[in-house]
Amino acid sequence: MHEMSLCEGIRGIVEDQARAHGFDTVRTLRLEIGRFAGVEKDALAFAFDVVMRGSPAEGARLEMIDLPGRAMCYDCMVEVEIEDRLAPCPRCGGGKLMPVAGDEMRIKDMEVV
């Protein structure tokens, strides 16, 4: 379950930011997760609750924001949204696509006190 190690990384960021900005509590943490990031959201939510114990984010609400997968189609030279890495271009039906977005996972923001 790599979601546990992802949450450990998130905890490190939260703790670093708490020290740097002087806050004690995170009420809400919003994560942006790309369609192709390979993150199991239920497992991430469970791991978040476990890993955040004893940190400024203990008891925080986790909000996950889905980001679409995007690719550059080299047949029609347009950036398009795709549902699957192997999907054809929804515009021209071509198969020469290079993913350009959708692998990311990042903290968008935190509500802190």
Side-chain angles (χ1 to χ4, degrees):
M1 173 153 83
H2 78 287
E3 286 77 3
M4 189 71 74
S5 62
L6 292 173
C7 287
E8 289 169 352
I10 292 167
R11 179 182 174 132
I13 292 168
V14 167
E15 290 174 337
D16 289 346
Q17 293 302 305
R19 279 190 296 277
H21 298 286
F23 61 84
D24 296 318
T25 305
V26 176
R27 288 189 178 162
T28 304
L29 188 138
R30 283 179 275 281
L31 283 179
E32 294 180 324
I33 303 172
R35 178 181 308 274
F36 309 135
V39 175
E40 175 58 48
K41 290 182 188 175
D42 290 338
L44 185 72
F46 174 78
F48 183 83
D49 289 339
V50 172
V51 172
M52 295 306 147
R53 289 182 189 147
S55 80
E58 182 173 0
R61 185 174 77 237
L62 176 64
E63 293 181 7
M64 293 179 256
I65 301 163
D66 294 323
L67 298 178
R70 299 198 57 78
M72 180 68 184
C73 176
Y74 287 100
D75 287 324
C76 66
M77 297 308 293
V78 174
E79 188 175 304
V80 295
E81 189 171 316
I82 55 174
E83 297 292 320
D84 182 275
R85 284 186 176 274
L86 301 176
C89 176
R91 185 169 184 259
C92 74
K96 296 178 189 168
L97 287 101
M98 174 66 69
V100 295
D103 289 331
E104 63 272 30
M105 184 182 100
R106 61 181 167 252
I107 297 173
K108 179 177 181 169
D109 57 26
M110 294 184 281
E111 181 184 331
V112 301
V113 290

XYZ file of all heavy atoms in Angstrom:
861
model
N 0.857 -1.177 0.000
C 0.000 0.000 0.000
C 0.899 1.235 0.000
O 1.383 1.664 1.040
C -0.920 -0.028 1.221
C -1.721 1.224 1.377
S -3.270 1.080 2.223
C -2.911 1.151 3.907
N 1.162 1.799 -1.178
C 2.018 2.973 -1.253
C 1.319 4.228 -0.759
O 1.956 5.256 -0.544
C 2.577 3.155 -2.667
C 1.620 3.745 -3.649
N 0.556 3.060 -4.168
C 1.584 4.967 -4.197
C -0.105 3.846 -5.003
N 0.499 5.000 -5.040
N 0.018 4.161 -0.532
C -0.711 5.305 -0.004
C -0.196 5.693 1.380
O -0.197 6.866 1.748
C -2.222 5.032 0.036
C -2.901 5.068 -1.319
C -2.684 3.840 -2.184
O -2.037 2.872 -1.723
O -3.148 3.846 -3.338
N 0.275 4.705 2.157
C 0.832 4.986 3.478
C 2.084 5.862 3.341
O 2.232 6.858 4.053
C 1.162 3.676 4.203
C 1.531 3.852 5.649
S 0.151 4.308 6.714
C -0.726 2.770 6.831
N 2.968 5.516 2.419
C 4.182 6.323 2.241
C 3.850 7.700 1.654
O 4.519 8.688 1.990
C 5.213 5.599 1.383
O 4.721 5.360 0.087
N 2.816 7.781 0.826
C 2.381 9.095 0.335
C 1.943 9.971 1.503
O 2.287 11.152 1.576
C 1.230 8.947 -0.664
C 1.563 8.288 -1.999
C 0.288 8.059 -2.807
C 2.551 9.120 -2.776
N 1.201 9.388 2.429
C 0.732 10.142 3.591
C 1.881 10.531 4.514
O 1.845 11.604 5.130
C -0.326 9.353 4.353
S -1.901 9.305 3.472
N 2.898 9.691 4.594
C 4.069 10.053 5.389
C 4.763 11.282 4.786
O 5.222 12.163 5.501
C 5.020 8.874 5.505
C 4.468 7.775 6.399
C 5.245 6.468 6.334
O 6.151 6.336 5.469
O 4.934 5.583 7.137
N 4.807 11.343 3.467
C 5.346 12.522 2.796
C 4.504 13.756 3.051
O 5.033 14.847 3.287
N 3.188 13.588 3.012
C 2.274 14.703 3.296
C 2.485 15.188 4.724
O 2.536 16.394 4.988
C 0.807 14.282 3.067
C 0.559 14.034 1.584
C -0.157 15.330 3.615
C -0.752 13.328 1.272
N 2.626 14.238 5.658
C 2.847 14.618 7.060
C 4.119 15.453 7.190
O 4.143 16.465 7.894
C 2.934 13.374 7.944
C 3.178 13.721 9.404
C 3.315 12.507 10.284
N 3.691 12.892 11.626
C 3.110 12.444 12.715
N 2.129 11.568 12.633
N 3.520 12.843 13.903
N 5.177 15.052 6.520
C 6.419 15.814 6.567
C 6.232 17.236 6.071
O 6.744 18.189 6.677
N 5.479 17.399 5.000
C 5.210 18.735 4.456
C 4.391 19.552 5.459
O 4.689 20.721 5.718
C 4.489 18.641 3.102
C 5.435 18.051 2.058
C 3.954 20.009 2.666
C 4.753 17.640 0.760
N 3.376 18.937 6.039
C 2.533 19.635 7.020
C 3.380 20.090 8.208
O 3.286 21.241 8.653
C 1.366 18.730 7.487
C 0.684 19.295 8.717
C 0.359 18.537 6.360
N 4.214 19.200 8.719
C 5.043 19.552 9.879
C 6.042 20.656 9.536
O 6.245 21.584 10.332
C 5.748 18.311 10.419
C 4.778 17.351 11.077
C 5.388 16.027 11.505
O 6.446 15.626 10.950
O 4.788 15.398 12.388
N 6.648 20.590 8.355
C 7.571 21.644 7.924
C 6.860 22.988 7.829
O 7.381 24.013 8.279
C 8.192 21.308 6.567
C 9.191 20.161 6.633
O 9.620 19.781 7.749
O 9.523 19.625 5.546
N 5.667 22.980 7.241
C 4.910 24.225 7.089
C 4.418 24.766 8.433
O 4.374 25.978 8.641
C 3.740 24.028 6.125
C 4.169 23.770 4.696
C 5.031 24.891 4.148
O 4.654 26.059 4.159
N 6.235 24.552 3.688
N 4.060 23.872 9.347
C 3.626 24.308 10.684
C 4.777 25.019 11.395
O 4.569 26.064 12.027
C 3.136 23.113 11.500
N 5.977 24.476 11.290
C 7.147 25.133 11.906
C 7.442 26.468 11.228
O 7.706 27.462 11.892
C 8.372 24.223 11.818
C 8.427 23.151 12.879
C 9.779 22.443 12.900
N 10.070 21.716 11.672
C 9.629 20.487 11.403
N 8.869 19.841 12.274
N 9.941 19.894 10.260
N 7.382 26.480 9.915
C 7.735 27.686 9.159
C 6.732 28.818 9.344
O 7.113 29.992 9.343
C 7.875 27.344 7.677
N 5.452 28.459 9.509
C 4.406 29.493 9.537
C 3.704 29.615 10.882
O 2.795 30.430 11.031
C 3.395 29.234 8.422
C 4.014 29.292 7.058
N 4.377 30.471 6.454
C 4.393 28.311 6.199
C 4.929 30.224 5.272
N 4.948 28.909 5.094
N 4.085 28.800 11.843
C 3.590 28.937 13.206
C 2.139 28.578 13.431
O 1.479 29.199 14.259
N 1.622 27.580 12.755
C 0.258 27.132 13.045
C 0.297 25.815 13.799
O 1.284 25.080 13.744
C -0.615 27.044 11.784
C -0.137 26.082 10.731
C -0.443 24.726 10.801
C 0.598 26.535 9.638
C -0.026 23.841 9.821
C 1.034 25.654 8.654
C 0.721 24.307 8.747
N -0.774 25.544 14.538
C -0.839 24.337 15.366
C -1.751 23.261 14.812
O -1.563 22.085 15.113
C -1.338 24.684 16.776
C -0.376 25.603 17.502
O 0.844 25.378 17.399
O -0.847 26.538 18.161
N -2.771 23.677 14.054
C -3.809 22.737 13.649
C -4.188 22.939 12.192
O -4.367 24.062 11.737
C -5.080 22.930 14.518
O -4.707 22.805 15.890
C -6.138 21.906 14.186
N -4.316 21.807 11.493
C -4.852 21.813 10.126
C -6.288 21.328 10.226
O -6.546 20.251 10.743
C -4.041 20.877 9.197
C -4.668 20.819 7.805
C -2.589 21.305 9.128
N -7.212 22.139 9.756
C -8.625 21.731 9.756
C -8.974 20.949 8.497
O -9.701 19.972 8.555
C -9.535 22.951 9.876
C -9.501 23.573 11.237
C -10.565 24.631 11.349
N -10.553 25.197 12.690
C -11.105 26.328 13.007
N -11.734 27.045 12.084
N -11.040 26.766 14.236
N -8.486 21.436 7.370
C -8.783 20.792 6.080
C -7.516 20.785 5.239
O -6.790 21.774 5.207
C -9.879 21.575 5.316
O -11.039 21.683 6.130
C -10.248 20.883 4.012
N -7.263 19.668 4.588
C -6.157 19.556 3.658
C -6.737 19.113 2.324
O -7.446 18.116 2.251
C -5.132 18.539 4.166
C -3.834 18.483 3.368
C -2.649 18.378 4.312
C -3.836 17.358 2.381
N -6.473 19.895 1.271
C -6.989 19.581 -0.058
C -5.853 19.076 -0.946
O -4.845 19.753 -1.099
C -7.649 20.807 -0.667
C -9.035 21.079 -0.103
C -9.685 22.319 -0.703
N -9.281 23.534 -0.023
C -9.785 23.948 1.140
N -10.691 23.249 1.747
N -9.375 25.067 1.689
N -6.066 17.882 -1.479
C -5.098 17.261 -2.380
C -5.655 17.236 -3.790
O -6.817 16.885 -3.993
C -4.854 15.804 -1.984
C -3.976 15.473 -0.810
C -3.920 13.960 -0.634
C -2.592 16.031 -0.980
N -4.826 17.568 -4.754
C -5.178 17.393 -6.159
C -4.517 16.093 -6.612
O -3.312 15.903 -6.417
C -4.675 18.556 -7.000
C -5.365 19.857 -6.666
C -4.879 21.021 -7.500
O -3.675 21.075 -7.818
O -5.709 21.884 -7.830
N -5.323 15.209 -7.196
C -4.833 13.895 -7.615
C -5.185 13.672 -9.083
O -6.353 13.682 -9.456
C -5.448 12.774 -6.752
C -5.153 13.022 -5.271
C -4.934 11.410 -7.201
C -5.882 12.091 -4.332
N -4.164 13.463 -9.889
C -4.367 13.222 -11.315
C -4.954 11.844 -11.583
O -4.738 10.901 -10.828
N -5.696 11.763 -12.664
C -6.366 10.520 -13.061
C -5.397 9.350 -13.184
O -5.740 8.213 -12.903
C -7.079 10.739 -14.394
C -7.784 9.502 -14.930
C -8.462 9.750 -16.258
N -9.336 10.893 -16.243
C -10.614 10.883 -15.856
N -11.156 9.761 -15.442
N -11.338 11.970 -15.892
N -4.156 9.610 -13.576
C -3.191 8.535 -13.807
C -2.194 8.383 -12.664
O -1.175 7.703 -12.816
C -2.432 8.769 -15.114
C -3.311 9.029 -16.298
C -3.033 10.051 -17.182
C -4.450 8.256 -16.521
C -3.846 10.303 -18.268
C -5.264 8.498 -17.609
C -4.967 9.521 -18.484
N -2.449 9.000 -11.531
C -1.492 8.973 -10.416
C -1.398 7.605 -9.744
O -0.455 7.341 -9.006
C -1.861 10.045 -9.391
N -2.365 6.738 -9.970
C -2.321 5.407 -9.385
C -2.609 5.396 -7.900
O -2.123 4.523 -7.181
N -3.393 6.372 -7.447
C -3.713 6.471 -6.027
C -5.092 5.861 -5.776
O -6.059 6.225 -6.437
C -3.699 7.947 -5.561
C -4.158 8.076 -4.125
C -2.315 8.544 -5.747
N -5.165 4.947 -4.825
C -6.439 4.365 -4.390
C -6.984 5.274 -3.302
O -6.445 5.342 -2.200
C -6.213 2.941 -3.875
C -7.433 2.291 -3.290
C -8.601 2.212 -4.260
O -8.394 1.788 -5.411
O -9.711 2.586 -3.840
N -8.043 6.002 -3.625
C -8.536 7.047 -2.731
C -9.016 6.523 -1.378
O -8.773 7.163 -0.352
C -9.645 7.841 -3.412
C -9.137 8.690 -4.537
C -10.274 9.471 -5.130
C -9.814 10.181 -6.370
N -10.931 10.854 -7.017
N -9.689 5.387 -1.355
C -10.138 4.837 -0.071
C -8.946 4.481 0.809
O -8.947 4.749 2.017
C -11.025 3.603 -0.277
C -12.381 3.949 -0.864
O -12.808 5.122 -0.735
O -13.007 3.057 -1.467
N -7.926 3.895 0.217
C -6.721 3.544 0.969
C -5.994 4.799 1.440
O -5.464 4.843 2.554
C -5.798 2.683 0.120
N -5.976 5.835 0.598
C -5.332 7.091 0.978
C -6.056 7.732 2.156
O -5.416 8.207 3.093
C -5.280 8.052 -0.206
C -4.515 9.350 0.045
C -3.023 9.069 0.122
C -4.799 10.357 -1.046
N -7.379 7.735 2.124
C -8.158 8.320 3.224
C -7.896 7.564 4.525
O -7.732 8.183 5.594
C -9.643 8.313 2.884
N -7.844 6.244 4.456
C -7.563 5.446 5.649
C -6.154 5.743 6.164
O -5.950 5.992 7.361
C -7.702 3.948 5.335
C -7.290 3.064 6.467
C -8.126 2.848 7.544
C -6.038 2.455 6.470
C -7.734 2.039 8.602
C -5.637 1.648 7.516
C -6.498 1.441 8.586
N -5.179 5.721 5.275
C -3.792 5.969 5.663
C -3.623 7.378 6.218
O -2.872 7.589 7.176
C -2.867 5.755 4.469
N -4.325 8.337 5.655
C -4.243 9.719 6.131
C -4.636 9.798 7.603
O -3.931 10.405 8.409
C -5.147 10.611 5.271
C -5.093 12.066 5.635
C -4.087 12.876 5.138
C -6.044 12.632 6.469
C -4.027 14.219 5.471
C -5.991 13.973 6.805
C -4.989 14.774 6.302
N -5.754 9.182 7.953
C -6.211 9.210 9.349
C -5.190 8.569 10.287
O -4.954 9.059 11.389
C -7.563 8.513 9.488
C -8.701 9.312 8.877
O -8.545 10.542 8.700
O -9.742 8.701 8.569
N -4.577 7.484 9.859
C -3.606 6.773 10.693
C -2.299 7.565 10.815
O -1.794 7.785 11.916
C -3.327 5.359 10.125
C -2.179 4.689 10.860
C -4.583 4.505 10.190
N -1.757 8.005 9.696
C -0.449 8.654 9.674
C -0.479 10.041 10.329
O 0.511 10.463 10.932
C 0.088 8.737 8.223
C 1.344 9.581 8.133
C 0.354 7.336 7.691
N -1.583 10.724 10.262
C -1.645 12.082 10.801
C -1.798 12.138 12.322
O -1.696 13.213 12.908
C -2.773 12.885 10.137
C -2.565 13.120 8.662
S -0.973 13.879 8.267
C -0.640 13.123 6.695
N -1.998 11.000 12.964
C -2.109 10.992 14.424
C -0.855 11.588 15.049
O 0.260 11.232 14.697
C -2.327 9.576 14.948
C -3.694 9.043 14.621
C -3.906 7.653 15.195
N -5.146 7.094 14.666
C -5.340 5.816 14.430
N -4.391 4.927 14.706
N -6.488 5.391 13.944
N -1.062 12.511 15.993
C 0.056 13.160 16.665
C 0.705 14.285 15.881
O 1.719 14.825 16.292
N 0.122 14.653 14.753
C 0.656 15.748 13.932
C -0.337 16.907 13.945
O -1.462 16.766 14.414
C 0.868 15.274 12.485
O -0.345 15.274 11.761
N 0.039 18.066 13.411
C -0.910 19.177 13.316
C -2.154 18.843 12.477
O -3.182 19.492 12.607
C -0.098 20.294 12.644
C 1.327 19.976 12.972
C 1.390 18.468 12.994
N -2.064 17.806 11.643
C -3.198 17.427 10.794
C -4.046 16.312 11.392
O -4.939 15.796 10.722
C -2.710 17.018 9.406
N -3.805 15.952 12.647
C -4.644 14.924 13.272
C -6.091 15.405 13.311
O -6.377 16.521 13.753
C -4.170 14.632 14.698
C -4.981 13.544 15.373
C -4.415 13.118 16.723
O -3.387 13.664 17.154
O -5.031 12.236 17.336
N -6.994 14.600 12.811
C -8.413 14.943 12.776
C -8.813 15.863 11.632
O -9.981 16.234 11.515
N -7.860 16.231 10.783
C -8.174 17.126 9.654
C -9.064 16.419 8.643
O -9.000 15.200 8.477
C -6.880 17.577 8.967
N -9.880 17.210 7.969
C -10.708 16.686 6.880
C -9.841 16.659 5.616
O -9.184 17.641 5.282
C -11.925 17.583 6.677
C -12.901 17.016 5.633
C -14.181 17.830 5.518
N -13.918 19.041 4.757
C -14.135 20.284 5.209
N -14.626 20.481 6.413
N -13.871 21.319 4.453
N -9.825 15.520 4.952
C -9.085 15.363 3.707
C -10.053 15.500 2.542
O -11.027 14.772 2.457
C -8.407 13.990 3.663
C -7.667 13.627 2.378
C -6.490 14.575 2.143
C -7.185 12.186 2.424
N -9.780 16.452 1.675
C -10.579 16.619 0.456
C -9.695 16.266 -0.729
O -8.590 16.781 -0.863
C -11.077 18.057 0.318
C -12.083 18.451 1.362
C -12.592 19.887 1.178
O -12.251 20.536 0.159
O -13.313 20.345 2.068
N -10.197 15.377 -1.579
C -9.454 14.953 -2.759
C -10.123 15.522 -4.011
O -11.313 15.317 -4.225
C -9.383 13.430 -2.818
C -8.554 12.852 -1.697
S -8.482 11.061 -1.729
C -9.618 10.682 -0.402
N -9.347 16.237 -4.786
C -9.828 16.885 -6.001
C -9.259 16.121 -7.198
O -8.041 15.969 -7.322
C -9.379 18.359 -6.046
C -9.912 19.104 -4.811
C -9.821 19.021 -7.341
C -9.208 20.415 -4.529
N -10.148 15.623 -8.040
C -9.719 14.865 -9.223
C -9.254 15.809 -10.325
O -9.942 16.784 -10.646
C -10.876 14.018 -9.764
C -11.299 12.927 -8.806
O -10.422 12.349 -8.147
O -12.511 12.657 -8.713
N -8.088 15.503 -10.878
C -7.587 16.241 -12.033
C -7.662 15.331 -13.252
O -7.360 14.139 -13.157
C -6.137 16.674 -11.813
C -5.899 17.629 -10.639
C -4.410 17.925 -10.505
C -6.681 18.913 -10.820
N -8.040 15.868 -14.399
C -8.186 15.031 -15.594
C -6.838 14.605 -16.161
O -5.808 15.225 -15.903
C -8.916 15.951 -16.575
C -8.508 17.329 -16.163
C -8.363 17.268 -14.655
N -6.891 13.557 -16.957
C -5.728 13.155 -17.732
C -5.731 13.967 -19.020
O -6.776 14.164 -19.636
N -4.566 14.472 -19.407
C -4.469 15.257 -20.633
C -3.295 14.726 -21.444
O -2.298 14.259 -20.894
C -4.277 16.739 -20.327
C -5.468 17.294 -19.529
C -5.580 18.802 -19.550
N -5.673 19.421 -20.845
C -6.762 19.477 -21.617
N -7.877 18.922 -21.211
N -6.747 20.077 -22.775
N -3.447 14.814 -22.759
C -2.387 14.344 -23.652
C -2.315 15.237 -24.883
O -3.312 15.843 -25.281
C -2.661 12.905 -24.085
N -1.135 15.275 -25.460
C -0.937 15.970 -26.723
C -1.111 14.943 -27.826
O -0.474 13.894 -27.821
C 0.470 16.575 -26.773
C 0.764 17.300 -28.038
S -0.259 18.787 -28.105
C 0.176 19.393 -29.712
N -2.026 15.237 -28.747
C -2.235 14.346 -29.892
C -1.337 14.827 -31.030
O -1.461 15.961 -31.497
C -3.696 14.364 -30.341
S -3.966 13.368 -31.832
N -0.444 13.944 -31.472
C 0.471 14.310 -32.539
C -0.122 14.051 -33.923
O 0.519 14.340 -34.934
C 1.812 13.593 -32.365
C 2.587 14.192 -31.209
C 2.606 13.580 -29.966
C 3.257 15.393 -31.362
C 3.286 14.148 -28.899
C 3.943 15.966 -30.305
C 3.956 15.345 -29.082
O 4.625 15.917 -28.024
N -1.353 13.546 -33.965
C -2.048 13.432 -35.250
C -2.744 14.740 -35.598
O -2.658 15.210 -36.724
C -3.057 12.277 -35.215
C -2.375 10.921 -35.248
O -1.340 10.786 -35.941
O -2.856 10.001 -34.576
N -3.448 15.334 -34.626
C -4.167 16.592 -34.901
C -3.518 17.805 -34.226
O -3.999 18.926 -34.376
C -5.641 16.475 -34.517
S -5.974 16.277 -32.745
N -2.426 17.562 -33.459
C -1.658 18.622 -32.805
C -2.497 19.473 -31.844
O -2.366 20.691 -31.782
C -0.962 19.514 -33.843
C 0.062 18.768 -34.689
S 1.293 17.826 -33.730
C 2.200 19.124 -32.938
N -3.362 18.795 -31.080
C -4.202 19.458 -30.090
C -4.033 18.737 -28.753
O -3.928 17.510 -28.721
C -5.688 19.431 -30.525
C -6.607 19.973 -29.444
C -5.873 20.204 -31.820
N -4.007 19.508 -27.660
C -4.002 18.901 -26.331
C -5.439 18.548 -25.970
O -6.335 19.386 -26.073
C -3.421 19.866 -25.295
C -3.216 19.204 -23.947
C -2.523 20.097 -22.944
O -1.416 20.593 -23.236
O -3.109 20.300 -21.871
N -5.654 17.287 -25.578
C -7.005 16.791 -25.317
C -7.074 16.123 -23.955
O -6.065 15.673 -23.409
C -7.454 15.783 -26.407
C -7.574 16.463 -27.763
C -6.504 14.595 -26.483
N -8.279 16.036 -23.408
C -8.516 15.303 -22.170
C -8.790 13.854 -22.530
O -9.534 13.568 -23.473
C -9.715 15.896 -21.439
C -9.904 15.334 -20.051
C -10.963 16.087 -19.252
O -10.973 17.329 -19.281
O -11.775 15.404 -18.602
N -8.158 12.929 -21.801
C -8.357 11.501 -22.066
C -8.733 10.782 -20.777
O -8.363 11.190 -19.680
C -7.107 10.845 -22.710
C -5.850 11.079 -21.860
C -6.912 11.346 -24.124
C -4.612 10.359 -22.345
N -9.496 9.723 -20.924
C -9.961 8.934 -19.785
C -8.962 7.859 -19.393
O -8.921 7.422 -18.256
C -11.301 8.257 -20.123
C -12.431 9.233 -20.390
C -12.845 9.992 -19.156
O -12.899 9.385 -18.068
O -13.095 11.202 -19.277
N -8.171 7.410 -20.362
C -7.268 6.286 -20.160
C -5.991 6.567 -20.934
O -6.028 7.174 -22.004
C -7.960 5.012 -20.690
C -7.132 3.787 -20.492
O -6.269 3.509 -21.350
O -7.344 3.097 -19.483
N -4.867 6.118 -20.418
C -3.579 6.354 -21.092
C -3.545 5.809 -22.523
O -2.851 6.336 -23.375
C -2.451 5.702 -20.311
C -2.051 6.443 -19.095
C -0.817 5.781 -18.490
N -0.327 6.498 -17.356
C 0.507 7.526 -17.410
N 0.943 7.944 -18.578
N 0.896 8.138 -16.323
N -4.266 4.731 -22.765
C -4.233 4.100 -24.083
C -5.413 4.497 -24.968
O -5.582 3.946 -26.055
C -4.181 2.583 -23.927
C -2.969 2.053 -23.145
C -3.065 0.549 -22.956
C -1.669 2.445 -23.821
N -6.211 5.436 -24.525
C -7.385 5.862 -25.297
C -6.948 6.613 -26.555
O -5.930 7.297 -26.565
C -8.269 6.770 -24.446
N -7.729 6.478 -27.623
C -7.445 7.272 -28.823
C -7.846 8.728 -28.600
O -8.559 9.053 -27.656
C -8.334 6.618 -29.890
C -9.457 6.031 -29.119
C -8.879 5.602 -27.801
N -7.392 9.575 -29.473
C -7.730 10.993 -29.389
C -9.241 11.164 -29.537
O -9.834 10.678 -30.514
C -7.020 11.769 -30.491
S -7.462 13.524 -30.563
N -9.897 11.839 -28.595
C -11.339 12.039 -28.703
C -11.718 13.015 -29.815
O -12.868 13.066 -30.238
C -11.736 12.586 -27.334
C -10.501 13.185 -26.782
C -9.357 12.396 -27.361
N -10.750 13.751 -30.333
C -11.029 14.736 -31.381
C -10.905 14.128 -32.780
O -11.787 14.265 -33.601
C -10.074 15.914 -31.234
C -10.338 17.038 -32.187
C -9.522 18.266 -31.782
N -9.843 19.374 -32.637
C -9.075 19.764 -33.658
N -7.953 19.126 -33.925
N -9.440 20.784 -34.402
N -9.777 13.405 -33.017
C -9.541 12.899 -34.373
C -9.494 11.370 -34.455
O -9.451 10.820 -35.544
C -8.244 13.488 -34.937
S -6.740 12.786 -34.216
N -9.469 10.699 -33.315
C -9.398 9.241 -33.295
C -7.990 8.691 -33.444
O -7.785 7.482 -33.458
N -7.012 9.581 -33.547
C -5.622 9.158 -33.719
C -5.064 8.467 -32.479
O -5.598 8.589 -31.371
N -3.959 7.768 -32.668
C -3.373 7.009 -31.577
C -2.011 7.503 -31.132
O -1.374 6.875 -30.298
N -1.553 8.615 -31.661
C -0.233 9.149 -31.298
C -0.400 10.208 -30.207
O -0.328 11.398 -30.472
C 0.452 9.741 -32.518
C 0.752 8.738 -33.597
C 1.384 9.425 -34.789
C 1.493 8.456 -35.950
N 1.821 9.147 -37.184
N -0.629 9.724 -28.993
C -0.829 10.642 -27.877
C 0.308 10.536 -26.876
O 0.781 9.448 -26.577
C -2.154 10.340 -27.163
C -3.384 10.770 -27.950
C -3.993 9.580 -28.636
C -4.356 11.440 -27.048
N 0.729 11.678 -26.354
C 1.748 11.748 -25.315
C 1.107 12.403 -24.097
O 0.733 13.581 -24.148
C 2.936 12.586 -25.786
C 3.969 12.828 -24.707
S 4.827 11.347 -24.156
C 5.792 10.962 -25.574
N 0.941 11.646 -22.995
C 0.353 12.242 -21.791
C 1.177 13.443 -21.317
O 2.405 13.397 -21.298
C 0.394 11.109 -20.764
C 0.405 9.859 -21.589
C 1.208 10.212 -22.814
N 0.468 14.516 -20.958
C 1.125 15.727 -20.462
C 0.651 16.108 -19.060
O 1.266 16.944 -18.406
C 0.938 16.923 -21.423
C 1.626 16.651 -22.756
C -0.519 17.258 -21.629
N -0.437 15.510 -18.589
C -0.940 15.801 -17.242
C -1.800 14.634 -16.776
O -2.393 13.923 -17.581
C -1.764 17.095 -17.234
N -1.856 14.475 -15.467
C -2.680 13.430 -14.888
C -1.907 12.512 -13.958
O -2.489 11.712 -13.249
N -0.554 12.642 -13.927
C 0.273 11.817 -13.045
C 0.490 12.467 -11.680
O 1.012 11.849 -10.773
C 1.658 11.585 -13.658
C 1.624 10.661 -14.853
O 0.730 9.799 -14.892
O 2.489 10.798 -15.731
N 0.093 13.713 -11.534
C 0.464 14.490 -10.369
C -0.403 14.209 -9.136
O -1.539 13.772 -9.242
C 0.424 15.993 -10.690
C -0.945 16.507 -11.066
C -1.296 16.410 -12.543
O -0.824 15.509 -13.250
O -2.099 17.233 -12.983
N 0.183 14.452 -7.991
C -0.539 14.516 -6.725
C 0.155 15.595 -5.917
O 1.369 15.551 -5.725
C -0.492 13.197 -5.953
C -1.350 13.276 -4.693
S -1.322 11.784 -3.689
C -0.149 12.289 -2.446
N -0.603 16.580 -5.499
C -0.003 17.685 -4.761
C -0.997 18.266 -3.768
O -2.212 18.164 -3.944
C 0.487 18.770 -5.711
C -0.610 19.377 -6.535
C -0.092 20.435 -7.501
N -1.124 20.768 -8.475
C -1.095 20.421 -9.747
N -0.093 19.731 -10.229
N -2.071 20.746 -10.554
N -0.455 18.883 -2.730
C -1.301 19.594 -1.771
C -1.695 20.900 -2.434
O -0.839 21.704 -2.812
C -0.549 19.858 -0.451
C -0.184 18.536 0.228
C -1.393 20.732 0.473
C 0.707 18.687 1.441
N -2.986 21.098 -2.575
C -3.469 22.364 -3.157
C -3.424 23.452 -2.113
O -2.888 24.532 -2.351
C -4.878 22.202 -3.696
C -5.408 23.488 -4.281
C -6.766 23.357 -4.881
C -7.121 24.730 -5.428
N -8.264 24.751 -6.242
N -3.995 23.177 -0.937
C -3.962 24.154 0.147
C -4.387 23.479 1.454
O -4.812 22.331 1.457
C -4.832 25.376 -0.137
C -6.294 25.054 -0.428
O -6.788 24.018 0.024
O -6.947 25.868 -1.112
N -4.219 24.224 2.530
C -4.606 23.749 3.851
C -5.325 24.874 4.573
O -4.915 26.036 4.471
C -3.362 23.381 4.685
C -2.579 22.207 4.166
S -1.203 21.776 5.258
C 0.008 23.010 4.789
N -6.361 24.521 5.300
C -7.028 25.465 6.194
C -6.427 25.221 7.573
O -6.518 24.129 8.117
C -8.527 25.213 6.213
C -9.294 26.152 7.097
C -10.771 25.809 7.150
O -11.303 25.264 6.168
O -11.373 26.071 8.205
N -5.755 26.242 8.112
C -5.022 26.081 9.358
C -5.470 27.114 10.399
O -6.020 28.155 10.067
C -3.508 26.200 9.128
C -3.022 25.160 8.143
C -3.116 27.592 8.667
N -5.192 26.781 11.664
C -5.429 27.728 12.770
C -4.251 27.684 13.723
O -3.500 26.753 13.757
C -6.731 27.449 13.547
C -7.926 27.791 12.691
C -6.800 26.031 14.027
